[in-house]
Structure formats: C-alpha cells, structure tokens
Amino acid sequence: MKFLVLNGPNLNMLGIREPEIYGKKTYKDLVEMITAYALKSGLEVEVYQSNHEGDLVDKIQSAYGNYDGIVINPAAYTHTSIALLDALKAVGIPALEVHISDVGKREDFRKISFIRTACVKTVSGKGFDGYIEALEYLSKNIGEGKC
Ligand code: DQA
C-alpha cells in the first residue's frame, strides 16, 4: 500500500518553533520516524512538506491514481483553505487529518477545520505518534475495504 504524508507551513520548523507546544524533536526526526515505521510495516510512504498552499494542492492532485491514502497535517491551512478541501474531494483518496497539538483545546480559530469533511478521521494532540496512528488506521481500514 502506498501513502502520501503531507505537512503544511512551518512544520519544517519543528524543534525550533514553539517547543512548549510542538515539542523539541525536529522535522527530520518526524520523517525518520515515519520512514522507519513504513519499512517495518511494509508500507510505501512518501513524506512531503511545503509552506505553499498551491504546492500542497498540486501534490494532492498528483496523488490521484498513485496513492491509496493520504495523511495530512495542513498546519495553519487547516483553518483557512477551501482549496485543500476541494483538492482532497477531487481526488477522492481516503485522507486522515493529523495535528501534533490538540487543536480543540487551543484558540477558537484552530477549532475550525475546512478539510475535516473530506477526511475519514482526525487525530489531534498525540504528538508525532499521531502520524503513526493515522497510517495504522488507514492501512487497516483500506485493507478491509472500510474506507
Ligand atoms: C498544527 C496546528 C495548527 O493550528 C497550526 O497552525 C500548525 C500545526 C498541529 O500540528 O498541531 O502549524 O497543525
């Protein structure tokens, strides 16, 4: 099974940005953790990060016909982007929304997610482990024909 893990703006700054919220581990640590999990689980995973909304739209579109599932942490675009919502709906690939922090317990504007209706599930507030939970959930449920 092939998965695309997408990360939005400022996630390349993990380890530096607001460590009290996002922790001290870096973006490189995140990529290594996901890659190690993929290897162990026999999944093919591409991890991609961009600070640009259009790049993320392009990447979602290019997933069409090429990936079985998408794990997406759109970062701040979660709360603003109808373009990402439309892209996810356009390709129709099972997608799972991930947030490192618990967006439900932060500022009110972070409680809004435009992409949520195009996602089978949201994992929020579980740190880097949320990405693994997302890959586990998608591979299991896609494998069983449930999403
Ligand atoms: C985030 C939460 C968003 O509100 C924020 O803009 C981010 C990261 C998270 O992973 O907790 O950049 O998506």
Side-chain angles (χ1 to χ4, degrees), residues 17-134:
R17 77 181 287 212
E18 302 176 273
E20 67 288 359
I21 296 174
Y22 299 108
K24 285 187 182 149
K25 285 193 253 163
T26 65
Y27 184 70
K28 190 169 165 276
D29 294 333
L30 176 65
V31 175
E32 282 172 5
M33 187 196 78
I34 293 169
T35 309
Y37 173 77
L39 203 68
K40 191 184 81 183
S41 316
L43 304 175
E44 217 178 295
V45 179
E46 181 189 358
V47 189
Y48 179 82
Q49 188 275 333
S50 177
N51 292 323
H52 307 280
E53 187 176 15
D55 281 350
L56 295 165
V57 170
D58 287 344
K59 201 69 188 170
I60 293 168
Q61 288 184 7
S62 72
Y64 183 72
N66 293 313
Y67 287 93
D68 300 299
I70 297 175
V71 172
I72 181 165
N73 181 351
Y77 291 138
T78 309
H79 321 299
T80 62
S81 180
I82 297 165
L84 288 179
L85 167 67
D86 286 348
L88 289 171
K89 281 181 155 176
V91 296
I93 300 168
L96 203 153
E97 175 185 4
V98 170
H99 299 285
I100 295 166
S101 66
D102 188 348
V103 284
K105 292 199 176 135
R106 297 179 62 193
E107 302 95 322
D108 280 348
F109 62 83
R110 291 187 207 275
K111 294 184 179 125
I112 297 159
S113 167
F114 282 98
I115 65 143
R116 197 155 295 167
T117 57
C119 293
V120 296
K121 183 179 158 79
T122 300
V123 175
S124 180
K126 298 196 172 165
F128 285 12
D129 289 347
Y131 289 83
I132 304 301
E133 186 177 327

